[in-house]
Amino acid sequence: MKRSSISLVIFGLIGFSLSLDALTVYSFRHYPADDALFEKFTEQTGIPVEVVKAKAGALLERLEAEGDQSPADILITSDAARLHIATEKGLLQPIDSPILKERIPPYLRDPNDNWFGFTQRARVFVYNPESVSSKDLTTYEDLANPEWRGRIVCRSSSNVYNQSLLASVIAADGKDAAINWAKGVRKNMARAPQGNDRDQIRAVAKGLADLAIVNTYYVGLMLNSDDHKDRKIAQRLKIFFPNQANRGTHINISGAGITKASKNIEDAKAFLEFLASDEAQSTFPNATYEYPVVNEVEWSEQQKEWGQFKSDTLSLDLLGENNANAIRVFNLAGWE
């Protein structure tokens, strides 16, 4: 007889209790598709899953405070930098899984197997085709040029997606060039950094700017939103994949690792291997509009419409290594 399925806990600073025989997942992600996948895992294995959801910073603080007594078996979060930080803090442990190594490309996982990416996000340009020609678009670096003065919108420097983008610029071009780039892009903004990626897309549609730097999956979510206004906004704009003639478009991930405190290592490994399965991987492109990490898995029709592109294959571990430098560069550049 199969055990009970998924249960959910959302925590802040208060305590909570969890079943001793369940697999406990601390997750920053908030998609119904994830919950459905966890249900499928339980149906297939009989292993119940309890999910604790909170912001990434709170999850890391909780894991650190709980230490060896943490009930968490799995940490799931967006952005490689956060997973790198978790590894540096000793909150994760290496995973010996030939399946994960075979299915997930090396640059999308930790060099020491502490974490693995399970979805890919491309950070791209969304632009208004009425005011910008795709022929005018080339690289991230070119956004610092004077012709973009007052034409760009982007979220704040405290956002980890922007920190990782800048970390990739540091890795590619060096710190001095990255400082000049950040200063140039900040000078070219149509307004002070504010809001989330959806807000940047809406700003371009309203004519407040000509171009926004965003993750592709936000466009997919808006195109398929229940909100008629968001659908119309996204339909008016176009996506451009930068740096196709050199290193490729910046890629980040949502990923997961087994916590150092886990007492259910085999069940936890089975869970991660399930996330890398064709069944799970084929869910993400159609439900969250994130790209799969397994090359053989087909993209959604929406993603196919955006077109094929060359990805930056920089080891994502370097995004974490350069995170502190990226924050310092943003401060030097006056990027709020």
Side-chain angles (χ1 to χ4, degrees):
M1 182 177 178
K2 292 179 179 177
R3 291 176 279 181
S4 59
S5 188
I6 185 172
S7 62
L8 172 66
V9 178
I10 301 176
F11 70 78
L13 298 177
I14 60 173
F16 59 94
S17 60
L18 297 163
S19 302
L20 295 178
D21 61 344
L23 190 67
T24 300
V25 176
Y26 281 12
S27 179
F28 173 65
R29 288 170 60 89
H30 48 79
Y31 303 108
D34 287 15
D35 297 336
L37 279 177
F38 301 163
E39 291 272 9
K40 287 184 180 180
F41 172 76
T42 298
E43 290 171 8
Q44 293 180 13
T45 65
I47 301 169
V49 177
E50 293 190 327
V51 184
V52 177
K53 295 188 179 182
K55 292 183 177 180
L59 291 173
L60 294 179
E61 288 175 9
R62 189 90 190 196
L63 275 173
E64 201 167 11
E66 290 169 341
D68 292 340
Q69 301 305 309
S70 176
D73 298 296
I74 299 284
L75 172 68
I76 299 177
T77 186
S78 62
D79 192 88
R82 289 172 173 143
L83 291 164
H84 178 85
I85 292 169
T87 302
E88 289 292 293
K89 289 178 176 290
L91 302 177
L92 302 177
Q93 60 177 293
I95 308 164
D96 182 15
S97 171
I99 292 173
L100 293 176
K101 290 180 182 179
E102 178 185 350
R103 293 183 65 79
I104 301 174
Y107 71 96
L108 297 176
R109 50 184 165 88
D110 176 53
N112 297 310
D113 302 324
N114 288 285
W115 51 262
F116 292 79
F118 291 101
T119 72
Q120 296 187 76
R121 289 105 172 265
R123 197 145 185 81
V124 299
F125 303 158
V126 168
Y127 66 97
N128 185 343
E130 295 180 1
S131 57
V132 176
S133 168
S134 61
K135 296 178 182 179
D136 299 330
L137 302 172
T138 53
T139 64
Y140 298 106
E141 285 83 353
D142 282 353
L143 292 187
N145 293 340
E147 59 263 31
W148 288 102
R149 189 64 48 84
R151 302 175 65 192
I152 299 170
V153 286
C154 192
R155 62 200 296 176
S156 78
S157 62
S158 64
N159 173 250
V160 73
Y161 303 148
N162 280 345
Q163 291 172 8
S164 286
L165 172 60
L166 183 54
S168 75
V169 174
I170 293 171
D173 302 329
K175 187 175 178 180
D176 290 343
I179 292 172
N180 291 332
W181 177 79
K183 286 180 177 178
V185 174
R186 177 62 188 93
K187 190 178 293 185
N188 288 345
M189 288 187 191
R191 64 181 185 186
Q194 58 189 267
N196 57 30
D197 276 16
R198 287 185 180 89
D199 293 325
Q200 316 314 315
I201 295 169
R202 293 176 185 129
V204 172
K206 290 177 182 177
L208 298 177
D210 292 330
L211 178 146
I213 305 172
V214 302
N215 287 348
T216 45
Y217 72 96
Y218 284 105
V219 181
L221 292 171
M222 291 180 73
L223 283 168
N224 295 275
S225 172
D226 292 333
D227 188 321
H228 175 67
K229 291 181 180 179
D230 271 355
R231 290 201 305 274
K232 289 199 71 175
I233 285 170
Q235 289 165 2
R236 291 175 51 195
L237 307 179
K238 299 289 185 181
I239 284 178
F240 181 84
F241 294 93
N243 294 73
Q244 292 304 285
N246 47 54
R247 68 180 181 274
T249 296
H250 169 64
I251 293 295
N252 210 324
I253 56 163
S254 274
I258 298 177
T259 67
K260 189 71 173 292
S262 176
K263 309 300 189 296
N264 301 316
I265 294 173
E266 289 306 310
D267 287 354
K269 185 165 73 170
F271 179 82
L272 296 189
E273 291 173 347
F274 171 76
L275 291 182
S277 69
D278 284 354
E279 180 177 12
Q281 286 291 297
S282 62
T283 297
F284 297 121
N286 295 286
T288 62
Y289 306 97
E290 298 167 285
Y291 293 98
V293 294
V294 176
N295 291 328
E296 294 76 18
V297 172
E298 190 173 3
W299 292 3
S300 68
E301 292 303 315
Q302 186 69 71
Q303 291 167 331
K304 291 176 185 176
E305 286 182 18
W306 295 336
Q308 296 289 325
F309 64 96
K310 177 183 176 182
S311 300
D312 187 352
T313 57
L314 174 77
S315 175
L316 296 190
D317 192 54
L318 292 175
L319 303 184
E321 289 184 12
N322 283 321
N323 180 260
N325 279 333
I327 293 171
R328 283 192 285 270
V329 167
F330 273 134
N331 290 335
L332 288 171
W335 188 321
E336 303 95 313

